[in-house]
Amino acid sequence: LTQQERAKKLIENSDDDKVRLKSTIDNLGRYSKTFISYAIYPDNYDVSNNFYDVIEDESRDYPFKKDTLRDFVIGSDLKLYDSMISSLSPANPEVEFTTSIMTLKFNIKYIRHYFKRLYDSEGYATSYISAHQDITEESLAQLRESVEHEARCTNGMLTL
């Protein structure tokens, strides 16, 4: 093979790998309430299809860009979100935290975020991958359990 044919083959394989990766990410999302996003800096951002389920976008046309997820974070959690993202560094390339978001249908959901940023040898960010899990049902179940427990304790104290 000539050098040009090898280069063409590498590009074709690279495109196949990208399609396979996107398909794998979308399939993983179907089996959980988790969407995955990734970026190759400076301007290549992508997200798995179930992102649209989480934000309740039936048309599936909400544009995904660098700070799209931040747009949904509820005001009281913005400071946490921003501080966790800004804490990413070569010495601290991963963070995990939970925030609440408001969907396009004005529903509140609780999301557990995981970000991992990759850096080059000079310490410059080159890309990231993140996973965002909808934990709303689990959070509400814990809250109900806590309220019921508190009610039982209060009722027990009142009857003594």
Side-chain angles (χ1 to χ4, degrees):
L1 292 175
T2 67
Q3 197 69 350
Q4 191 175 26
E5 288 171 329
R6 282 189 202 123
K8 184 179 176 187
K9 197 75 158 161
L10 278 173
I11 290 171
E12 288 171 0
N13 288 342
S14 174
D15 287 342
D16 288 347
D17 289 345
K18 289 176 189 173
V19 169
R20 244 189 324 273
L21 175 62
K22 176 75 171 147
S23 176
T24 300
I25 287 172
D26 286 338
N27 285 332
L28 286 171
R30 275 190 223 134
Y31 299 106
S32 68
K33 292 182 177 183
T34 302
F35 68 89
I36 298 169
S37 65
Y38 60 92
I40 301 170
Y41 298 132
D43 57 4
N44 184 8
Y45 298 90
D46 207 351
V47 66
S48 59
N49 285 328
N50 55 333
F51 162 72
Y52 301 102
D53 297 330
V54 172
I55 66 166
E56 298 180 333
D57 179 11
E58 292 172 7
S59 65
R60 295 178 134 27
D61 63 0
Y62 196 92
F64 189 82
K65 58 189 185 329
K66 181 180 179 185
D67 289 325
T68 297
L69 188 57
R70 185 184 186 282
D71 296 342
F72 291 91
V73 175
I74 292 179
S76 60
D77 287 342
L78 275 173
K79 189 173 182 177
L80 170 65
Y81 185 91
D82 290 343
S83 71
M84 295 303 282
I85 298 302
S86 66
S87 75
L88 290 166
S89 68
N92 182 42
E94 299 176 49
V95 293
E96 187 174 341
F97 58 99
T98 301
T99 65
S100 50
I101 66 166
M102 172 117 17
T103 70
L104 293 174
K105 292 184 175 182
F106 302 104
N107 292 313
I108 294 175
K109 292 188 177 184
Y110 298 95
I111 307 294
R112 180 176 296 128
H113 308 278
Y114 168 80
F115 284 87
K116 180 170 186 169
R117 191 174 282 166
L118 303 175
Y119 295 86
D120 65 16
S121 60
E122 296 175 10
Y124 294 104
T126 59
S127 60
Y128 80 82
I129 188 153
S130 61
H132 310 272
Q133 182 181 17
D134 180 352
I135 59 167
T136 304
E137 288 179 19
E138 296 88 340
S139 296
L140 292 176
Q142 286 177 341
L143 182 60
R144 269 192 297 276
E145 196 174 293
S146 176
V147 168
E148 289 169 0
H149 175 73
E150 189 173 317
R152 282 192 304 272
C153 289
T154 303
N155 286 341
M157 289 174 65
L158 292 175
T159 57
L160 290 176

